[in-house]
């Protein structure tokens, strides 16, 4: 017979199997498994299917590379270089690699197709919903929908009708139109919008519906400290936006379950950017990611899981049909972010 024990140790777990033989003789074998820094494998933009780069973004840092599990098409002029010949970064695809632009690949960096497929661990807002500080949900009452806001204690702190606001957030109910000629319905989903010059409370939000971040939110000296978990899509159009997830030292805000996560969308992430936008953290979409304009990512990576490409419903908009980067985004990633939902078990040593 045998028994297996699992013991938490610094940086991982120790798995020990002990077998018992005749005359109660025993023999043990132990393996140390640690969690790697996410499953990005030195990449700052990973897609489950194809990716089009038509602008001139800059990818840098020792883990600032790109990988598409489908095809990678570059019609723009991106710069993909770690600036460190000893730690080059790549632009690669599992499918084809097609270039009609003029990319700059750093010394030692690889650019091409037919590369191994990257494993992408599933990550959804629903999986992380227990970590919320505020829960934005819906309730049908008196012939119309209300937007309810609950705090972490389960107390309802706001009851919003269509167009009403709470703490910088405005609730918009869903609507639809019916085309009698084609017998099709077009939905405008439930939406929660942070806008104006008002910074919402620093918190982790779990939101039923779409999230739209507009106006002026945060600054370099006073960033918005947040994690957004959206049942629908996340769209950023803010003219000024500076945000990051909580640090482990910020004990009133930090949750290990959502470590280093800035955005997690069950649908898409769409950023219409400018140089006054700064995003720090992991940004993951269950479906697709689209980037335009000139946003700045001083420390972060994007993950487009491409699990599906769902039509717009009352609970989320199909913002992005296929992954793309246009404009001149500036992104730096040095492999210094991680989350237990994205990491892989790495077996470091076996002891006999």
């Amino acid at each position: 017979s045998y028994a297996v024990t699992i013991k938490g140790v610094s940086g991982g777990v120790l798995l020990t199997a002990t077998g018992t033989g005749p005359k109660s003789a025993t023999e043990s074998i132990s393996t140390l498994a640690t969690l790697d820094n996410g499953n990005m494998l030195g990449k700052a933009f990973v897609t489950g299917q194809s990716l089009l780069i038509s602008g001139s973004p800059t990818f840098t840092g020792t883990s600032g590379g790109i990988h598409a599990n489908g095809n990678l098409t570059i019609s723009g002029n991106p710069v993909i270089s770690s600036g460190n010949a000893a730690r080059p970064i790549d632009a690669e695809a599992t499918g084809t690699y097609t270039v009609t632009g003029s990319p700059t690949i750093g010394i030692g960096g690889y650019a091409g197709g037919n590369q191994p497929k990257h494993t992408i661990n599933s990550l959804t807002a629903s999986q992380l919903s227990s970590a919320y500080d505020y829960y934005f949900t819906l309730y049908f009452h008196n012939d119309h929908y209300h937007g309810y806001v609950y705090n972490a204690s389960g107390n309802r702190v706001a009851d919003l009708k269509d167009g009403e606001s709470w703490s910088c957030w405005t609730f918009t109910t869903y609507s639809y139109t019916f085309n009698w000629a084609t017998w099709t319905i077009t939905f405008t989903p439930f939406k929660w919008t942070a806008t104006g010059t008002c910074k919402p409370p620093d918190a982790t939000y779990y939101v039923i519906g779409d999230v739209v971040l507009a106006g002026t939110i945060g600054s370099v000296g006073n960033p918005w400290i947040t994690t957004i978990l959206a049942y629908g899509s996340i769209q950023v159009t803010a003219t000024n936006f500076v945000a990051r997830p909580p640090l482990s030292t910020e004990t009133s805000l930090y949750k290990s379950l959502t470590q280093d996560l800035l955005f997690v969308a069950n649908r898409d992430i769409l950023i219409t950017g400018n140089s006054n936008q700064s995003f720090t953290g992991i940004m993951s979409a269950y479906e697709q990611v689209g980037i335009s304009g000139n946003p700045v990512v001083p420390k972060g990576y994007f993950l487009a899981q491409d699990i599906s490409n769902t039509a717009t419903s009352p609970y989320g908009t199909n913002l992005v049909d296929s992954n793309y980067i246009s404009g001149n985004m500036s992104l730096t990633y040095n492999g210094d972010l991680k989350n237990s939902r994205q990491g892989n078990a790495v077996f470091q040593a076996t002891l006999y």
Side-chain angles (χ1 to χ4, degrees):
S1 64
Y2 70 94
V4 177
T5 61
I6 301 174
K7 180 182 179 181
V9 296
S10 178
V13 294
L14 185 67
L15 296 89
T16 301
T18 302
T20 302
K23 298 183 180 181
S24 299
T26 62
E27 186 74 26
S28 296
I29 181 173
S30 298
T31 298
L32 176 65
T34 63
L35 186 68
D36 70 3
N37 252 8
N39 62 4
M40 305 308 286
L41 302 177
K43 305 298 187 296
F45 208 106
V46 171
T47 62
Q49 296 186 23
S50 297
L51 172 64
L52 169 65
I53 302 176
S54 61
S56 300
T58 299
F59 293 86
T60 188
T62 55
S63 296
I66 299 169
H67 179 89
N69 275 345
N71 303 322
L72 176 58
T73 302
I74 299 177
S75 61
N77 306 306
V79 175
I80 305 166
S81 174
S82 67
N84 182 348
R87 297 286 300 275
I89 55 177
D90 304 326
E92 61 181 36
T94 300
T96 61
Y97 175 76
T98 303
V99 175
T100 58
S102 300
T104 299
I105 309 297
I107 296 174
Y110 173 82
N114 299 314
Q115 297 304 298
K117 185 176 181 179
H118 279 207
T119 298
I120 299 177
N121 298 331
S122 174
L123 182 65
T124 68
S126 308
Q127 293 170 349
L128 308 169
S129 60
S130 63
Y132 72 81
D133 294 307
Y134 293 107
Y135 173 38
F136 292 3
T137 189
L138 316 163
Y139 182 71
F140 190 76
H141 179 63
N142 290 340
D143 297 326
H144 62 270
Y145 277 96
H146 293 237
Y148 279 4
V149 179
Y150 291 91
N151 63 20
S153 299
N155 299 316
R156 193 175 72 205
V157 296
D159 176 357
L160 307 178
K161 296 179 181 178
D162 184 35
E164 293 184 336
S165 300
W166 170 85
S167 292
C168 309
W169 290 96
T170 300
F171 168 70
T172 305
T173 192
Y174 94 105
S175 61
Y176 68 91
T177 58
F178 183 78
N179 187 319
W180 289 96
T182 60
W183 282 76
T184 56
I185 298 176
T186 301
F187 292 103
T188 300
F190 296 103
K191 181 172 62 178
W192 300 81
T193 304
T195 189
T197 57
C198 178
K199 182 167 81 75
D202 293 339
T204 295
Y205 297 87
Y206 177 47
V207 181
I208 304 300
D210 283 344
V211 172
V212 177
L213 306 173
T216 297
I217 303 174
S219 63
V220 174
N222 184 27
W224 186 25
I225 303 173
T226 190
T227 297
I228 303 292
L229 311 172
Y231 191 83
S233 293
I234 298 174
Q235 182 176 12
V236 183
T237 61
T239 53
N240 294 274
F241 183 87
V242 181
R244 63 167 176 83
L247 304 175
S248 60
T249 54
E250 295 165 329
T251 55
S252 63
L253 296 171
Y254 175 81
K255 288 97 174 166
S256 59
L257 186 63
T258 53
Q259 178 184 4
D260 290 337
L261 297 175
L262 182 62
F263 297 152
V264 178
N266 280 13
R267 292 292 191 91
D268 301 326
I269 293 175
L270 176 62
I271 295 176
T272 304
N274 62 68
S275 58
N276 294 320
Q277 294 178 351
S278 176
F279 303 84
T280 296
I282 300 167
M283 289 158 278
S284 176
Y286 193 67
E287 298 191 356
Q288 287 74 45
V289 173
I291 311 291
S292 64
N294 309 314
V296 177
V297 182
K299 178 181 177 180
Y301 68 71
F302 289 92
L303 177 62
Q305 299 173 59
D306 282 303
I307 301 299
S308 58
N309 189 9
T310 311
T312 297
S313 76
Y315 300 100
T317 306
N318 182 7
L319 290 174
V320 185
D321 285 325
S322 57
N323 304 300
Y324 68 88
I325 304 170
S326 63
N328 304 308
M329 175 177 68
S330 173
L331 184 151
T332 302
Y333 182 49
N334 289 303
D336 43 4
L337 297 171
K338 62 182 179 179
N339 183 271
S340 61
R341 293 282 179 164
Q342 282 303 296
N344 293 318
V346 179
F347 295 101
Q348 304 288 355
T350 298
L351 310 175
Y352 293 91

